[in-house]
Amino acid sequence: MIEVREVRSYWDRRAFLNFPLKLYRNNPYFVPPLYIDEKKIFRKDYFYNKTSESVFFLAFKDGKVSGRISGILQKAANEKWNQRRVRFTRFDCIDDVEVAKALFDALENWARDKGMREVVGPLGYSDMEREGLLIEGFDELSTFEEQYNHPYYQKLIEAQGYQKEVDWVERKIYAPKEIDPRIERIVPLIMKREKLRLVQCDSTQEILDRYADQFFDLVDETYKDLYGTVPFVEGQREDIVSGFKLLLSPYYIRLIVDSEDRLAAFGICFPSISKAVQKSNGHLTIPTIFRILKAKKNPEIIDLGLIGVTEKYRNSGVSWAILLEIMKMLKSGKVEYCETNLNLKDNLSIQNNWDRFENKLHKRRRAFIKKIAD
């Protein structure tokens, strides 16, 4: 017997958060999010509630928790893209098509009650959350920023009538055997012509104090036309800054400013903390904090977070300055490789950049869509 119920009680919320931790116990590729961050989705004052409505469902088979799913009515996204959609996220399930059907039926009924016409996902509240279903690369360690899932998830989702909407790909990029001398020659000329300079700060706090507001404005500007993006909401910036303090290392941040110290471009990489949080199932214990700090100091892998360039300099070649700095990071010998995280498959401007590096396409993710009403 399969029962689906909306998450309302403390015990249901706890079961919702703990289900994937149990489902992926001892899986060497699964990397949990920080538990303390996941708990925020149930807070009434969660900053995403300013622009969204959410629902959470649990599925029980023979009395045992067997699946979960969350729905997001992202009003800001629907308004921006002129859509009537609900996003599904945090879908986890045993390999049982009937359990999956019961979860999606509950979610789709909720979406219809809200007057929506389509369900898409996996997508979070914004593109700063984990998104996309892994469809290739199941034997690769997940990054901390992205979600791992079992191979059978695709079968379960497609069985409910969902079809591909977009794909993302991820690469491992390695230091080029030799940095192209043309890049090393042209970057200083571009910087001089545009009156730009590279800034190196001594601490994460200094970076945040001087450039945090400009950084968020530039992220909004750079990514505004990409699939599913929404502007930052009040409270989100402060939450991200709080997380940055733990994860960022100044050495892996590159900032380019103009003559008035205004941010013109940036590149942010994170020391990989995937292995550091695996052992504690995402709980921020004292040993976990020590492992994170160790990973920050001497990372084996770095994760590419974001690259941004202001519209004024987008066609000036300034992005090559950021790419050159990433090449230098990798050539330093301190890390084995860099994970690009998600890049839209049809975003050729970013895909072509990786041809300058030794690279391996090792993961693919997909967002699905289903029409539920005319």
Side-chain angles (χ1 to χ4, degrees), residues 99-365:
V99 174
K101 181 180 187 304
L103 284 167
F104 277 98
D105 283 350
L107 176 61
E108 290 165 16
N109 287 334
W110 181 81
R112 289 188 191 96
D113 288 344
K114 296 294 180 179
M116 298 297 107
R117 295 175 176 172
E118 297 170 321
V119 176
V120 297
L123 294 172
Y125 293 92
S126 77
D127 61 318
M128 301 299 286
E129 285 205 313
R130 296 179 171 196
E131 58 188 353
L133 188 84
L134 188 67
I135 61 172
E136 294 178 16
F138 300 104
D139 58 351
E140 297 281 353
L141 178 67
S142 181
T143 64
F144 173 70
E145 296 82 14
E146 300 303 335
Q147 183 67 22
Y148 182 85
N149 56 262
H150 286 307
Y152 63 77
Y153 278 33
Q154 183 178 358
K155 172 193 68 178
L156 296 182
I157 292 172
E158 290 177 343
Q160 313 314 316
Y162 287 80
Q163 300 177 334
K164 169 187 170 181
E165 181 163 56
V166 298
D167 277 3
W168 295 268
V169 293
E170 302 175 52
R171 299 175 190 268
K172 293 179 180 179
I173 58 173
Y174 302 84
K177 294 178 180 178
E178 296 293 337
I179 296 177
D180 190 330
R182 292 172 296 179
I183 298 175
E184 292 188 293
R185 183 173 64 253
I186 197 172
V187 164
L189 297 176
I190 293 171
M191 297 286 279
K192 183 177 180 180
R193 183 191 68 204
E194 302 296 338
K195 299 179 181 178
L196 300 173
R197 59 188 174 87
L198 191 68
V199 173
Q200 184 68 51
C201 295
D202 294 327
S203 68
T204 301
Q205 190 60 53
E206 181 186 357
I207 293 171
L208 295 174
D209 289 343
R210 291 174 61 180
Y211 300 110
D213 288 340
Q214 295 182 51
F215 163 78
F216 289 113
D217 290 342
L218 184 46
V219 171
D220 270 343
E221 178 186 330
T222 301
Y223 293 89
K224 67 181 187 298
D225 296 325
L226 294 185
Y227 173 81
T229 56
V230 291
F232 289 105
V233 298
E234 183 183 354
Q236 184 183 4
R237 296 185 179 203
E238 292 80 0
D239 186 76
I240 293 173
V241 166
S242 177
F244 274 4
K245 290 179 180 179
L246 178 64
L247 302 178
L248 286 180
S249 174
Y251 178 79
Y252 297 106
I253 300 172
R254 295 296 186 268
L255 306 172
I256 294 175
V257 300
D258 63 19
S259 57
E260 297 180 354
D261 203 38
R262 298 291 302 175
L263 200 58
F266 67 83
I268 295 181
C269 294
F270 301 93
S272 173
I273 63 167
S274 293
K275 294 179 180 179
V277 300
Q278 273 184 322
K279 293 182 180 180
S280 66
N281 249 343
H283 292 277
L284 204 56
T285 62
I286 291 176
T288 303
I289 293 173
F290 278 116
R291 287 194 294 270
I292 290 174
L293 293 176
K294 182 180 179 182
K296 281 178 60 175
K297 187 175 181 180
N298 295 299
E300 298 175 3
I301 305 165
I302 56 174
D303 299 339
L304 181 61
L306 297 165
I307 294 176
V309 181
T310 61
E311 190 170 351
K312 177 180 178 180
Y313 298 106
R314 201 154 295 160
N315 297 315
S316 68
V318 170
S319 60
W320 282 111
I322 297 296
L323 294 174
L324 178 60
E325 289 300 312
I326 295 175
M327 290 179 185
K328 290 179 179 178
M329 286 183 203
L330 294 171
K331 288 288 283 185
S332 70
K334 293 185 177 182
V335 297
E336 182 181 351
Y337 60 85
C338 175
E339 287 255 13
T340 65
N341 278 313
L342 277 70
N343 298 149
L344 283 165
K345 186 174 180 291
D346 59 2
N347 186 351
L348 298 182
S349 61
I350 190 66
Q351 298 294 346
N352 292 337
N353 285 335
W354 306 134
D355 291 339
R356 300 286 181 172
F357 297 78
E358 298 290 327
N359 74 84
K360 175 186 177 183
L361 195 159
H362 66 306
K363 296 176 190 172
R364 187 183 302 267
R365 296 181 184 274

Side-chain angles (χ1 to χ4, degrees), residues 13-25 58-59 64-68 90-94 103 152-153:
R13 291 193 294 270
R14 187 171 179 178
F16 187 93
L17 296 175
N18 287 334
F19 177 70
L21 304 181
K22 295 177 181 178
L23 186 65
Y24 290 96
R25 182 178 290 138
L58 280 172
K64 183 179 179 181
V65 178
S66 302
R68 69 171 195 168
R90 293 170 173 83
F91 169 68
D92 289 290
C93 190
I94 63 172
L103 284 167
Y152 63 77
Y153 278 33

